[in-house]
Amino acid sequence: NAGVTQTPKFRVLKTGQSMTLLCAQDMNHEYMYWYRQDPGMGLRLIHYSVGEGTTAKGEVPDGYNVSRLKKQNFLLGLESAAPSQTSVYFCASSYWRELNNEQFFGPGTRLTVL
Amino acid sequence: QKEVEQDPGPLSVPEGAIVSLNCTYSNSAFQYFMWYRQYSRKGPELLMYTYSSGNKEDGRFTAQVDKSSKYISLFIRDSQPSDSATYLCAMSEVDSNYQLIWGAGTKLIIKP
């Protein structure tokens, strides 16, 4: 099993450009999440999904959109990138039956917005 | 004030030392408490979890929860250079356990 994979691994954008980050998981997990990680701030939840076709806002959703058309995929979109969106983005997934909600993370995408 | 507070470090200790990592929190509804380990340029991975209060031991690692003080700890015995990583605490309530609230992470350096 590949677990959680993220595409791309690195990206540099100019202010105002758009891009989509792709997350895929092969563990048949219901829940999927997008986080951003900035120095000294830990992980902050951007959006999450509790099942195919459903999405919800997290702590810092502004400037991002998401879609979950297939259970195994969760896409994060930046419509008009800003320097404040320079960060490391992590996708995660979890199985809803687990009481401890172990979240499995991808390797991350390092995004720089100039 | 953040819901979960964690000293970012770095914390540098010699190999073989006992390490103590801590988080404090303000939400008394938290029932699930987790420690994730994150190596440099990697995603976090679950290390230990505890439900409600008490201790849990797994090899060289011990997790403690003190709900009366809203304080959780992770102890690492006989620390190894391979333990060098960032340790993040995370917590959740019972009825929204798919949403984790994260600490900022403590960077731990074990010196050979």
Side-chain angles (χ1 to χ4, degrees), chain A residues 56-78:
Chain A
K57 294 179 180 180
E59 179 186 358
V60 289
D62 293 342
Y64 305 95
N65 56 76
V66 289
S67 64
R68 185 133 179 238
L69 300 179
K70 295 182 178 180
K71 186 177 183 178
Q72 63 268 33
N73 296 338
F74 196 27
L75 278 64
L76 177 71
L78 286 74

Side-chain angles (χ1 to χ4, degrees), chain B:
Chain B
Q1 184 185 4
K2 293 182 181 179
E3 274 192 286
V4 179
E5 298 280 357
Q6 186 176 10
D7 187 334
L11 176 63
S12 182
V13 300
E15 181 177 355
I18 296 175
V19 175
S20 173
L21 303 167
N22 311 294
C23 289
T24 59
Y25 63 94
S26 56
N27 185 350
S28 58
F30 287 148
Q31 293 280 9
Y32 294 103
F33 304 92
M34 286 141 274
W35 288 95
Y36 281 74
R37 178 174 60 194
Q38 184 177 22
Y39 290 114
S40 180
R41 296 185 173 267
K42 300 288 187 183
E45 55 182 356
L46 181 65
L47 186 61
M48 296 189 72
Y49 84 93
T50 310
Y51 172 67
S52 192
S53 289
N55 294 0
K56 189 171 185 177
E57 189 173 321
D58 184 3
R60 297 185 295 111
F61 299 88
T62 299
Q64 286 186 352
V65 175
D66 182 348
K67 294 191 72 180
S68 62
S69 302
K70 297 189 178 71
Y71 188 89
I72 70 170
S73 301
L74 177 71
F75 297 97
I76 307 174
R77 293 184 299 280
D78 187 24
S79 56
Q80 304 295 311
S82 58
D83 295 327
S84 297
T86 296
Y87 291 80
L88 301 103
C89 62
M91 310 176 188
S92 68
E93 301 180 21
V94 171
D95 59 358
S96 61
N97 68 325
Y98 52 83
Q99 287 202 56
L100 298 180
I101 308 301
W102 296 82
T106 298
K107 184 173 183 179
L108 175 65
I109 300 169
I110 307 298
K111 298 177 294 184

Side-chain angles (χ1 to χ4, degrees), chain A residues 10 31 33 35 37 40-43 45 48 50 90 94 96 98-108 110, chain B residues 2 8 32 34 36 38 40-46 49 86 88 92 96-105:
Chain A
F10 305 93
Y31 296 165
Y33 316 81
Y35 292 95
Q37 187 174 38
M41 303 201 64
L43 289 163
L45 184 64
Y48 66 97
V50 299
F90 287 101
S94 67
W96 73 277
E98 293 290 339
L99 291 179
N100 66 328
N101 186 30
E102 179 177 1
Q103 295 188 10
F104 294 82
F105 284 81
R110 293 182 176 274
Chain B
K2 293 182 181 179
Y32 294 103
M34 286 141 274
Y36 281 74
Q38 184 177 22
S40 180
R41 296 185 173 267
K42 300 288 187 183
E45 55 182 356
L46 181 65
Y49 84 93
T86 296
L88 301 103
S92 68
S96 61
N97 68 325
Y98 52 83
Q99 287 202 56
L100 298 180
I101 308 301
W102 296 82

